[in-house]
């Protein structure tokens, strides 16, 4: 016996959160001809998300059709026709096969949202979180669809980074994991599998690296510019750690470290994941990195 829920394949998608990540996820799904709804709390946030999508599509269109602005416009409008926007998460969930959540990195806020969505979404809908650092099982336990809950972790900038981590809890069904692998490939990404462990694969390595760069800087051992130059020219990284932190968003990085630190008691005392005072200071001043115009560097 297979229920209609387990037979369904992914066609219609809802992405909650129209920020850096949510807008990118909407874009890549729309580019692959999925029908997508982008949801956020306010018209302003949705407008911001649409601006990010259009800006990115323009770069892609210019490369794809260097000699024809009309072809560029046709491409952009074609992709944009595949998504709509809404500030009503519950209404947008009708008929949805896949929900990807990309809101603020806060366990309680995510749990509250998922609990509400679980009571209103069709049984067939697969729930995914794009969390960077929170245990998927701690988010999933706010719902009653444990076998249809997984992590789908994209990388910034989503249109450019090829990787998606597919994270399974002990309860995630094999069929759901297969659907998520298939979906990731259809949107042009390379999926990798990981268990629900702190930081999954990439952030387990990347976050301590960024925090270790902060310790070097905070001790006064080197300037942040020299640390960035060091990692670019000495290790071949496309961005130095401070450029990357500004790119990720300092508020997001602050949430990641705090949540990671507090939700994994066995990591307490591990210097690698202790929150950083320089990040605290910049965030309290409203300097969130590129998205606010200033972080470790000035982008204005
Ligand atoms: N949309 C579309 N295209 C984009 C884009 C976007 N948002 N951003 C960059 N590109 C394209 C550019 O058009 C350009 O294309 P061509 O080479 O074909 O001309 C290409 O990407 C390179 O861009 P740039 O020349 O502007 O700059 P760059 O060479 O420095 O590359 C970058 C930009 C791809 C972002 C590169 O610097 C990079 O890979 N940085 C590291 C990013 C990274 O590590 N991301 C992971 C962050 S951690 C995370 O996401 C997980 C988490 O949970 C926090
Ligand atoms: P962001 O600050 O750019 O965007 C978050 C968006 O969520 C905002 O538009 C906000 O209005 C919206 N939002 C907040 N609460 C909401 C709610 N209850 N309902 C609907 N919308 C709500 O953040 P981001 O960088 O896009 O990060 C989003 C998620 O993706 C976080 O979990 C983060 O850890 C994860 N992530 C971030 C990166 C990164 O490099 N920035 C990479 C991978 C994963």
């Amino acid at each position: 016996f297979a229920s209609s829920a387990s037979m369904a394949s992914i066609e219609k998608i809802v992405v909650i959160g129209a920020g850096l990540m949510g807008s990118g996820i909407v874009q890549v799904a729309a580019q692959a001809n999925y029908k997508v709804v982008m949801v956020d709390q306010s018209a302003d946030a949705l407008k911001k998300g649409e601006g990010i999508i259009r800006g990115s599509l323009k770069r892609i269109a210019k490369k794809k059709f260097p000699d024809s602005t009309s072809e560029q416009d046709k491409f952009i409008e074609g992709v944009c026709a595949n998504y709509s926007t809404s500030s009503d998460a519950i209404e947008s969930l009708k008929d949805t096969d896949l929900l990807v959540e990309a809101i603020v990195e806060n366990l309680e806020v995510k749990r509250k949202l998922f609990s509400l969505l679980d009571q209103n979404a069709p049984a067939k809908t697969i729930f995914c979180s794009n969390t960077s650092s929170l245990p998927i099982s701690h988010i999933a336990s706010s719902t009653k669809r444990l076998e249809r809950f997984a992590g789908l972790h994209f990388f910034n900038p989503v249109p450019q980074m090829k990787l998606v981590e597919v994270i399974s809890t002990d309860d995630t069904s094999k069929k759901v994991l297969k659907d998520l692998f298939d979906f990731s490939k259809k949107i042009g990404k390379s999926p990798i599998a990981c268990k629900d462990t702190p930081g999954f694969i990439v952030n387990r390595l990347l976050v301590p690296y960024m925090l270790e760069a902060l310790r070097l800087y905070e001790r006064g051992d080197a300037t942040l510019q020299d640390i960035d130059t060091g990692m670019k020219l000495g290790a071949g990284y496309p961005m130095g750690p401070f450029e990357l932190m500004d790119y990720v968003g300092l508020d997001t990085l602050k949430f990641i470290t705090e949540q990671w630190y507090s939700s994994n008691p066995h990591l307490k005392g591990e210097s690698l994941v202790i929150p950083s005072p320089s990040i605290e200071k910049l965030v309290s001043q409203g300097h969130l990195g590129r998205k606010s115009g200033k972080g470790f560097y000035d982008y204005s």
Side-chain angles (χ1 to χ4, degrees):
F1 173 79
S3 71
S4 58
S6 65
M7 301 277 289
S9 63
I10 293 170
E11 284 169 17
K12 195 190 146 195
I13 298 154
V14 167
V15 177
I16 312 222
L20 286 178
M21 296 306 290
S23 63
I25 299 165
V26 169
Q27 180 187 328
V28 292
Q31 277 179 249
N33 277 324
Y34 283 99
K35 294 291 168 214
V36 197
V37 185
M38 176 164 74
V39 178
D40 208 304
Q41 287 168 318
S42 67
D44 258 12
L46 288 167
K47 210 167 146 203
K48 225 169 157 183
E50 290 196 80
I52 300 175
I53 294 176
R54 285 201 173 257
S56 171
L57 285 175
K58 259 186 208 148
R59 290 169 84 158
I60 295 167
K62 271 190 191 151
K63 266 183 280 171
K64 245 177 141 70
F65 307 103
D67 305 319
S68 165
T69 50
S70 67
E71 285 298 318
Q72 290 173 18
D73 290 345
K74 205 168 130 194
F75 166 76
I76 294 170
E77 294 316 319
V79 174
C80 289
N82 286 337
Y83 81 86
S84 57
T85 61
S86 169
S87 53
D88 187 340
I90 292 172
E91 173 64 25
S92 70
L93 274 173
K94 275 186 203 156
D95 301 329
T96 295
D97 301 302
L98 172 65
L99 168 101
V100 184
E101 167 275 314
I103 68 165
V104 63
E105 185 75 346
N106 178 299
L107 181 61
E108 279 322 308
V109 180
K110 286 190 199 280
R111 280 180 61 88
K112 204 171 149 205
L113 175 72
F114 271 115
S115 161
L116 180 71
L117 298 178
D118 188 43
Q119 292 160 36
N120 291 282
K124 68 172 182 176
T125 312
I126 298 173
F127 279 14
C128 288
S129 175
N130 182 53
T131 179
S132 300
S133 61
L134 297 166
I136 300 298
S137 62
H138 292 192
I139 308 174
S141 62
S142 63
T143 76
K144 293 197 173 73
R145 59 183 79 208
L146 300 187
E147 74 291 351
R148 301 184 73 68
F149 204 115
L152 198 62
H153 187 216
F154 289 82
F155 291 80
N156 185 18
V158 179
Q160 192 67 16
M161 305 307 274
K162 291 273 174 241
L163 189 72
V164 174
E165 289 176 330
V166 180
I167 298 113
S168 55
T169 70
D170 290 345
D171 299 303
T172 316
S173 81
K174 290 218 161 57
K175 168 75 168 80
V176 163
L177 291 178
K178 185 184 177 302
D179 283 350
L180 293 175
F181 263 75
D182 289 347
F183 169 72
S184 303
K185 286 179 196 157
K186 279 191 191 152
I187 58 171
K189 303 294 178 199
S190 299
I192 55 176
C194 188
K195 285 191 183 164
D196 189 18
T197 50
F200 317 127
I201 295 174
V202 174
N203 281 343
R204 183 69 182 249
L205 302 175
L206 199 56
V207 173
Y209 153 76
M210 291 192 278
L211 289 169
E212 200 52 17
L214 278 161
R215 314 280 175 229
L216 261 177
Y217 163 68
E218 284 165 358
R219 284 194 303 265
D221 294 344
T223 63
L224 61 90
Q225 291 83 357
D226 278 356
I227 298 170
D228 275 354
T229 302
M231 292 315 289
K232 285 190 284 187
L233 302 189
Y237 284 24
M239 286 176 174
F242 291 90
E243 291 170 317
L244 184 58
M245 286 186 266
D246 274 354
Y247 200 72
V248 164
L250 302 184
D251 52 340
T252 300
L253 188 64
K254 175 177 180 287
F255 287 131
I256 293 174
T257 20
E258 284 173 358
Q259 303 280 342
W260 192 348
Y261 194 60
S262 62
S263 58
N264 295 284
H266 63 284
L267 292 177
K268 283 245 158 98
E270 293 265 347
S271 64
L272 284 182
V273 290
I274 290 175
S276 144
S278 344
I279 298 275
E280 299 282 329
K281 189 170 165 205
L282 284 167
V283 171
S284 70
Q285 294 167 335
H287 301 318
L288 311 181
R290 270 194 199 220
K291 65 182 171 188
S292 73
K294 188 171 161 44
F296 288 105
Y297 294 98
D298 204 333
Y299 302 91
S300 52

